[in-house]
Amino acid sequence: MVRSHNDPPLPVTVIGGYLGAGKTTLVNHLLRNADGRRLAVLVNEFGSLPIDEDLIKARDDTMISIAGGCVCCSYGSDMMGALQDLSRLAPRPDHILLEASGVALPDAVAQSVGLLEACRLDATVVIADAETVQARAADTYLADTIIRQLQAADIIVLNKADLIGKPAETDLHLWLSQIANEARVLSTIQAAVTPEAVIDSADAAGNGIQGHHAARTGSGSAVTHHSASFKLTRPVDARDLAGRLAAPALGLVRAKGMVPDRDGTMRTLQVVGRRWQVLDSPDGYTGDGGFVCIRVETEVDREAVDQAIQQAASVIDSAAERSSGQQADQMA
């Protein structure tokens, strides 16, 4: 099947992190909690990321069929070709999880994804072991790789947080904020991060998930995410709004939706951690304006988000006032 130009680019989450941090555990957790999403997992070789046996339905030399319509493919030395092949599958996957090797630099992988018309980078997620990450980052031979991996992240999944205690976890969050101040840090147990935090799934019109949801670990602990929907009834400066939603003070992991821009044209707004994009809306979109915000552990600050919306709208008002003033001066 040849990709239609009407097909939107496939979102790709790049998953990085050093050996033993928990990439395998995270990927299997996401597969077990796909909730109807068709996920495609792309690995350098099958041996580097074993899929839990009870999830596997069939396998051949290049592809493993997984429960729920998911697949796992190996790419060897041709990552770009494998991504193209996945984009041509029928039915297409909903999302691609691209696992980078333990010594790979996720930002280089992410840049490669950005070169393909058939794919778009959704997020760069880096796994870190709470017990060992600081020691690894101080190691003479590993430090440069570990630091660069962390700095490339939109989201850092701080795995095995239960093994270090709350005071140490708080200190570790502070250290990570100094090393990688662009990333959102999510503490987890057994890599049981809520899928909505790392996979693009928010309703584009802001009509979807709302409230709080928990991702269960094997030990019964829960990592909770909170989401809230917002409607837009008037134009805003879409880029201004996206930048405000990505601000550290709001603590949002994700925001996504359709917003009426300065000229009334609908735009797609996407925020992942501190990174944001404003893109053209899908062809033929005629729905309402709105977006969904996701935050982990604590509830979305609705008042702060409403204020961001008002400020993004006031940018247009200010521009209109300046224009009106200039016209009055010219007439005078």
Side-chain angles (χ1 to χ4, degrees):
M1 181 189 76
V2 178
R3 174 178 174 262
S4 166
H5 290 293
N6 293 324
D7 290 336
L10 281 175
V12 178
T13 295
V14 174
I15 299 177
Y18 55 88
L19 186 65
K23 294 193 297 294
T24 297
T25 306
L26 174 64
V27 169
N28 280 290
H29 171 74
L30 294 174
L31 289 171
R32 290 186 180 281
N33 293 274
D35 293 332
R37 305 179 189 92
R38 293 188 300 274
L39 301 180
V41 181
L42 197 57
V43 298
N44 184 254
E45 58 182 32
F46 286 141
S48 68
L49 187 67
I51 302 300
D52 289 348
E53 285 294 329
D54 64 314
L55 292 173
I56 296 174
K57 299 301 181 184
R59 67 171 74 206
D60 58 31
D61 292 339
T62 60
M63 185 175 295
I64 296 174
S65 297
I66 306 170
C70 301
V71 297
C72 178
C73 307
S74 61
Y75 60 84
S77 60
D78 189 10
M79 182 186 76
M80 304 288 274
L83 286 168
Q84 292 277 26
D85 290 342
L86 286 175
S87 73
R88 299 188 186 104
L89 287 178
R92 299 173 82 215
D94 297 315
H95 199 104
I96 298 174
L97 305 175
L98 198 168
E99 183 263 348
S101 71
V103 296
L105 298 178
D107 53 347
V109 177
Q111 288 170 10
S112 297
V113 172
L115 297 175
L116 293 175
E117 180 185 356
C119 299
R120 67 168 175 84
L121 177 67
D122 178 56
T124 299
V125 177
V126 173
I127 319 297
D129 182 334
E131 282 193 306
T132 64
V133 63
Q134 285 182 293
R136 297 288 183 96
D139 184 278
T140 301
Y141 301 102
L142 299 175
D144 182 64
T145 297
I146 301 302
I147 296 299
R148 290 183 65 182
Q149 287 180 343
L150 294 171
Q151 291 176 336
D154 297 310
I155 299 168
I156 296 174
V157 175
L158 186 61
N159 196 27
K160 309 176 188 179
D162 56 318
L163 302 182
I164 62 171
K166 282 297 180 183
E169 182 184 341
T170 299
D171 291 342
L172 190 50
H173 273 254
L174 177 60
W175 177 78
L176 287 169
S177 71
Q178 297 168 343
I179 295 294
N181 63 358
E182 294 295 304
R184 295 283 189 263
V185 181
L186 310 181
S187 293
T188 65
I189 302 170
Q190 298 177 26
V193 64
T194 178
E196 284 75 13
V198 297
I199 297 177
D200 178 4
S201 60
D203 185 293
N207 298 314
I209 51 176
Q210 184 160 315
H212 69 275
H213 308 265
R216 293 284 170 185
T217 68
S219 62
S221 300
V223 179
T224 305
H225 79 269
H226 300 263
S227 56
S229 298
F230 297 84
K231 292 290 187 183
L232 290 180
T233 57
R234 56 169 296 184
V236 297
D237 185 306
R239 294 175 62 84
D240 183 84
L241 177 59
R244 293 181 187 280
L245 295 178
L250 279 179
L252 299 179
V253 177
R254 282 185 176 271
K256 180 180 179 182
M258 307 296 296
V259 300
D261 206 355
R262 301 173 70 107
D263 60 357
T265 302
M266 299 300 291
R267 308 285 186 199
T268 300
L269 176 150
Q270 295 174 337
V271 176
V272 182
R274 294 291 305 278
R275 182 169 55 84
W276 57 266
Q277 291 180 304
V278 174
L279 307 170
D280 290 340
S281 61
D283 292 341
Y285 181 82
T286 58
D288 297 328
F291 58 92
V292 174
C293 295
I294 297 177
R295 185 169 179 170
V296 173
E297 294 298 346
T298 55
E299 293 186 358
V300 174
D301 187 339
R302 296 193 66 95
E303 183 176 348
V305 175
D306 284 335
Q307 184 178 17
I309 294 171
Q310 292 171 8
Q311 290 170 329
S314 69
V315 171
I316 301 176
D317 295 336
S318 298
E321 290 174 3
R322 288 196 300 270
S323 176
S324 177
Q326 290 171 356
Q327 291 177 359
D329 292 341
Q330 291 172 358
M331 291 177 65

